Amino acid sequence: MPIDAKTLQETYDQMERKLHGIIPDIEMRYKAELVFEINQLKKERGAIILGHNYMEPALFHTVPDVVGDSLELSRKAAETECDPIVFCGVRFMAETAKILNPTRTVLLPAKRAGCSLAESITAQDVRNLRQQYPGVPIVTYINTYADVKAECDICCTSGNAARVVESLDSDVIIFLPDEYLAANVAEETGKKIIFPSRDAIQNPKPGLEYEMIGWHGRCEVHDKFTVQDIKNVRAQYPGVLVLAHPECSPEVVAASDFSSSTSKMTQRVKETEAPSYLLLTECSMGDNIMAENPEKEMVRMCSIRCPHMNEITLEDTLNALKNNVQIIEVPEEIRVRARRSVDRMLEIG
Ligand code: 13P
Ligand code: SF4
């Protein structure tokens, strides 16, 4: 919930209660001024701020009206009547908000805020696959740009990927672009997966058995975690509960205790009583969980931050609201086709 304070001092006091020990006091005083101004301006403009679970703690706990994972934020973006929608997340998320709510102004408070998965595939790559595997349904992870979504049949997020795959009535499906998520979904649904090279897509081997076809995209953040990291932490923290995002490698997911979307990971920490927790995901989320659950011990791997999520700051959020930047536009012809893929996913629930 955003901080609802009438004065700057009240803003600081509320932040201090929540974030004491998580961010230094000098930073909190400076950021309280920005938070106060953002919340005032948001009210004046009738805006809504959506914040992904990876936002840094001083932003996450103060200005968003709704926080969550990609699926929750897409649903909220679809139903809101507020205008503008300020998306504190990365570009593909803001684009999804625009796809779902085209009459609203969607603002992304950073110029770039990309994603290594979204960069890993183009609309032309999807058209080539479609040509090579005619009639095979194509699932795309929501971490892709609008023109890629427009070429696919249905989207999925980390929270519903297995359900989306199981909903498709087909012997074979194509799953793009995250190699690890695809392999993790194949494991969960008991399907056999192949990862053809670009060359093999042009000249497929006859008789090769498979039920899923993947792509070689990876999240540059989740790719950093290893099974050895888990072994080291387990040796040092007996009883630690290890939670891995499904963008981690299948080996890391297999060595962990739980794997799901960022919101489901957060929920699992809240609902369990373990001596300590290791989160294998972007490290700000650990700080955010710690602020909500001060009694829980989080084992921190603080250097692992998403450089793209990291671009969203309180300063830029204020600038977005003041100067209406960066406005997200999606050409209508692409938006309509991309919307079909997103709607099909949302219908699955
Ligand atoms: P979630 O949908 O689980 O929040 O994941 C988004 C993401 O980009 C994780 O790296
Ligand atoms: Fe993309 Fe990985 Fe950053 Fe998520 S953590 S936005 S998948 S680069």
Side-chain angles (χ1 to χ4, degrees):
M1 274 293 118
I3 281 184
D4 187 21
K6 293 197 173 46
T7 63
L8 176 56
Q9 185 60 42
E10 277 174 25
T11 302
Y12 169 78
D13 291 345
Q14 287 184 27
M15 284 175 73
E16 218 281 325
R17 278 197 289 280
K18 176 127 281 171
L19 299 170
H20 178 80
I22 293 181
I23 58 173
D25 188 62
I26 188 161
E27 185 181 329
M28 195 128 53
R29 286 188 187 278
Y30 163 69
K31 289 189 171 172
E33 292 181 21
L34 294 165
V35 168
F36 181 64
E37 213 181 327
I38 290 169
N39 283 335
Q40 296 283 103
L41 195 53
K42 182 174 66 169
K43 243 187 235 161
E44 277 166 39
R45 291 203 58 189
I48 184 170
I49 300 185
L50 307 181
H52 187 263
N53 291 326
Y54 288 166
M55 291 298 102
E56 60 102 358
L59 189 158
F60 182 84
H61 291 283
T62 58
V63 297
D65 301 279
V66 181
V67 290
D69 61 20
S70 311
L71 185 59
E72 292 165 333
L73 296 180
S74 302
R75 288 191 189 287
K76 194 64 203 177
E79 74 197 25
T80 187
E81 303 212 330
C82 298
D83 199 357
I85 301 171
V86 181
F87 212 116
C88 292
V90 287
R91 177 165 287 269
F92 75 80
M93 296 178 176
E95 267 192 9
T96 307
K98 185 68 185 177
I99 290 166
L100 287 165
N101 212 334
T103 60
R104 311 282 180 235
T105 301
V106 177
L107 302 174
L108 177 69
K111 260 207 187 101
R112 291 188 308 273
C115 167
S116 66
L117 282 171
E119 305 295 335
S120 73
I121 192 156
T122 65
Q124 188 56 49
D125 290 328
V126 185
R127 287 193 286 272
N128 292 347
L129 283 162
R130 181 82 77 192
Q131 218 179 7
Q132 196 59 46
Y133 298 96
V136 175
I138 304 182
V139 180
T140 181
Y141 193 26
I142 200 153
N143 296 37
T144 46
Y145 294 122
D147 58 342
V148 167
K149 289 186 176 78
E151 299 295 334
C152 295
D153 297 300
I154 185 165
C155 285
C156 73
T157 70
S158 58
N160 63 14
R163 242 179 312 145
V164 167
V165 164
E166 281 171 339
S167 76
L168 297 169
D169 184 19
S170 173
D171 293 341
V172 182
I173 64 140
I174 296 171
F175 189 107
L176 308 172
D178 186 346
E179 168 182 345
Y180 289 158
L181 180 65
N184 288 322
V185 170
E187 175 69 27
E188 193 178 338
T189 55
K191 293 191 190 295
K192 205 166 167 175
I193 188 161
I194 56 158
F195 292 93
S197 63
R198 272 164 217 254
D199 181 49
I201 288 171
Q202 252 98 64
N203 309 290
K205 273 198 198 136
L208 190 63
E209 268 184 48
Y210 53 83
E211 294 152 308
M212 278 175 77
I213 300 163
W215 187 255
H216 290 291
R218 285 188 192 177
C219 162
E220 67 192 86
V221 178
H222 292 89
D223 199 20
K224 292 199 174 99
F225 299 112
T226 65
V227 173
Q228 192 58 47
D229 293 332
I230 299 181
K231 283 186 185 155
N232 294 346
V233 172
R234 285 203 197 277
Q236 220 185 326
Y237 297 87
V240 62
L241 191 80
V242 181
L243 303 98
H245 194 274
E247 290 168 11
C248 294
S249 74
E251 297 74 29
V252 165
V253 168
S256 69
D257 303 305
F258 179 79
S259 179
S260 195
S261 77
T262 53
S263 285
K264 288 184 186 160
M265 290 167 85
T266 305
Q267 195 61 24
R268 182 54 69 106
V269 176
K270 270 188 198 153
E271 287 169 359
T272 52
E273 287 304 330
S276 55
Y277 299 84
L278 173 66
L279 291 178
L280 299 177
T281 196
E282 213 278 351
C283 78
S284 286
M285 205 172 96
D287 292 337
N288 293 334
I289 295 179
M290 227 153 65
E292 296 282 355
N293 307 270
E295 75 293 353
K296 310 241 168 179
E297 186 182 353
M298 311 298 295
V299 181
R300 322 257 331 287
M301 292 173 86
C302 330
S303 57
I304 304 200
R305 281 232 62 191
C306 171
H308 313 289
M309 291 282 183
N310 212 4
E311 293 220 358
I312 308 296
T313 62
L314 284 166
E315 286 87 343
D316 285 341
T317 304
L318 180 59
N319 185 41
L321 270 169
K322 269 187 179 162
N323 299 313
N324 247 14
V325 290
Q326 308 285 323
I327 297 181
I328 297 291
E329 303 284 5
V330 178
E332 187 59 9
E333 179 271 327
I334 288 177
R335 190 195 69 77
V336 170
R337 290 188 295 129
R339 172 142 199 173
R340 270 202 318 255
S341 294
V342 181
D343 276 347
R344 282 188 192 127
M345 169 187 84
L346 293 177
E347 278 157 24
I348 287 178

